[in-house]
Amino acid sequence: MKRFAQIVHLKPSAVEAYKECHANVWPEVLQQIKDCNITDYSIFFDNERTLFATFKYVGDDFEADMARMQANPKVREWWVMTDGMQESPIPGAIGSAEGPGWWKPLEEVFHTE
Protein backbone atom coordinates (compact mmCIF):
# COMPACT_ATOMS: atom_id res chain seq x y z
CA MET A 1 0.00 0.00 0.00
CA LYS A 2 1.23 3.47 -0.89
CA ARG A 3 -0.29 6.71 0.40
CA PHE A 4 -0.71 9.80 -1.77
CA ALA A 5 -1.40 13.42 -0.87
CA GLN A 6 -1.86 16.32 -3.24
CA ILE A 7 -3.12 19.90 -3.47
CA VAL A 8 -4.91 22.07 -5.99
CA HIS A 9 -6.58 25.46 -5.68
CA LEU A 10 -10.32 25.97 -5.97
CA LYS A 11 -11.67 29.01 -7.78
CA PRO A 12 -13.57 31.12 -5.22
CA SER A 13 -16.58 31.30 -7.52
CA ALA A 14 -16.81 27.49 -7.63
CA VAL A 15 -16.89 26.59 -3.93
CA GLU A 16 -20.57 25.66 -3.71
CA ALA A 17 -20.66 23.85 -7.06
CA TYR A 18 -17.54 21.85 -6.14
CA LYS A 19 -18.99 20.81 -2.79
CA GLU A 20 -22.31 19.93 -4.42
CA CYS A 21 -20.85 17.72 -7.14
CA HIS A 22 -18.67 15.92 -4.59
CA ALA A 23 -21.72 15.30 -2.41
CA ASN A 24 -23.15 13.44 -5.43
CA VAL A 25 -20.20 11.83 -7.20
CA TRP A 26 -21.27 9.89 -10.27
CA PRO A 27 -21.43 6.11 -9.62
CA GLU A 28 -19.26 5.39 -12.68
CA VAL A 29 -16.49 7.58 -11.25
CA LEU A 30 -16.70 5.95 -7.83
CA GLN A 31 -16.58 2.49 -9.42
CA GLN A 32 -13.54 3.39 -11.55
CA ILE A 33 -11.70 4.71 -8.50
CA LYS A 34 -12.35 1.40 -6.75
CA ASP A 35 -11.44 -0.63 -9.85
CA CYS A 36 -8.13 1.25 -10.04
CA ASN A 37 -7.13 0.15 -6.54
CA ILE A 38 -7.69 3.49 -4.80
CA THR A 39 -9.15 3.38 -1.29
CA ASP A 40 -9.68 5.79 1.58
CA TYR A 41 -9.89 8.80 -0.79
CA SER A 42 -10.68 12.12 0.92
CA ILE A 43 -10.67 15.74 -0.24
CA PHE A 44 -10.49 18.57 2.30
CA PHE A 45 -11.18 22.28 1.74
CA ASP A 46 -9.49 24.96 3.84
CA ASN A 47 -12.25 27.58 3.37
CA GLU A 48 -10.01 29.87 1.35
CA ARG A 49 -8.96 28.15 -1.84
CA THR A 50 -6.81 25.10 -1.22
CA LEU A 51 -8.06 21.56 -1.68
CA PHE A 52 -6.04 18.83 -0.02
CA ALA A 53 -6.59 15.23 -1.13
CA THR A 54 -5.29 11.99 0.23
CA PHE A 55 -5.80 8.36 -0.79
CA LYS A 56 -4.28 4.92 -0.49
CA TYR A 57 -3.19 2.94 -3.53
CA VAL A 58 -3.44 -0.80 -2.89
CA GLY A 59 -2.57 -2.11 -6.37
CA ASP A 60 0.79 -3.09 -7.84
CA ASP A 61 0.95 -1.00 -11.04
CA PHE A 62 -0.03 2.62 -10.37
CA GLU A 63 0.76 3.85 -13.91
CA ALA A 64 -1.39 1.16 -15.53
CA ASP A 65 -4.27 1.82 -13.15
CA MET A 66 -4.08 5.56 -13.80
CA ALA A 67 -4.09 4.88 -17.55
CA ARG A 68 -7.28 2.81 -17.06
CA MET A 69 -8.77 5.66 -15.04
CA GLN A 70 -7.94 8.17 -17.76
CA ALA A 71 -9.40 5.92 -20.48
CA ASN A 72 -12.86 5.94 -18.88
CA PRO A 73 -15.06 8.46 -20.78
CA LYS A 74 -17.23 9.19 -17.72
CA VAL A 75 -14.13 9.93 -15.60
CA ARG A 76 -12.83 12.24 -18.32
CA GLU A 77 -16.20 14.03 -18.36
CA TRP A 78 -15.99 14.38 -14.55
CA TRP A 79 -12.48 15.81 -14.84
CA VAL A 80 -13.57 18.39 -17.41
CA MET A 81 -16.28 19.54 -15.01
CA THR A 82 -14.12 19.63 -11.88
CA ASP A 83 -10.98 20.98 -13.58
CA GLY A 84 -13.04 24.00 -14.62
CA MET A 85 -13.58 24.74 -10.92
CA GLN A 86 -9.90 24.52 -10.03
CA GLU A 87 -6.60 26.27 -10.62
CA SER A 88 -3.48 24.15 -10.71
CA PRO A 89 -0.32 25.10 -8.79
CA ILE A 90 1.67 23.20 -11.45
CA PRO A 91 3.23 25.47 -14.10
CA GLY A 92 1.93 24.53 -17.54
CA ALA A 93 -0.79 22.20 -16.26
CA ILE A 94 -3.65 21.76 -18.73
CA GLY A 95 -6.01 19.46 -16.86
CA SER A 96 -6.37 16.12 -15.12
CA ALA A 97 -6.24 14.09 -18.34
CA GLU A 98 -3.23 15.62 -20.08
CA GLY A 99 -0.07 17.65 -19.74
CA PRO A 100 1.78 17.95 -16.46
CA GLY A 101 -0.22 16.65 -13.53
CA TRP A 102 -3.10 18.90 -12.47
CA TRP A 103 -2.76 18.22 -8.75
CA LYS A 104 0.55 18.88 -6.99
CA PRO A 105 1.91 15.73 -5.32
CA LEU A 106 3.11 16.23 -1.74
CA GLU A 107 6.04 14.61 0.02
CA GLU A 108 5.14 12.63 3.12
CA VAL A 109 7.45 13.61 5.96
CA PHE A 110 5.69 11.90 8.88
CA HIS A 111 3.14 9.15 9.42
CA THR A 112 2.07 7.02 12.33
CA GLU A 113 -0.51 4.28 12.70
Side-chain angles (χ1 to χ4, degrees), residues 16-69:
E16 292 310 314
Y18 191 85
K19 287 180 179 180
E20 185 177 321
C21 74
H22 281 83
N24 300 291
V25 178
W26 302 340
E28 301 92 344
V29 172
L30 292 174
Q31 187 62 51
Q32 189 65 59
I33 289 169
K34 182 179 177 180
D35 291 349
C36 288
N37 298 301
I38 292 174
T39 65
D40 198 16
Y41 190 175
S42 296
I43 301 174
F44 299 88
F45 176 60
D46 78 353
N47 294 319
E48 291 201 19
R49 64 176 299 212
T50 301
L51 296 169
F52 168 78
T54 183
F55 62 86
K56 294 176 184 173
Y57 177 71
V58 296
D60 57 12
D61 190 343
F62 184 75
E63 289 75 23
D65 280 331
M66 294 308 96
R68 285 191 313 131
M69 177 89 67

Side-chain angles (χ1 to χ4, degrees), residues 7-20:
I7 61 170
V8 72
H9 303 298
L10 188 58
K11 293 178 181 177
S13 62
V15 171
E16 292 310 314
Y18 191 85
K19 287 180 179 180
E20 185 177 321

Side-chain angles (χ1 to χ4, degrees), residues 32 36 64-77 79 97:
Q32 189 65 59
C36 288
D65 280 331
M66 294 308 96
R68 285 191 313 131
M69 177 89 67
Q70 183 177 352
N72 182 315
K74 202 66 174 174
V75 169
R76 290 177 68 91
E77 183 181 346
W79 287 346

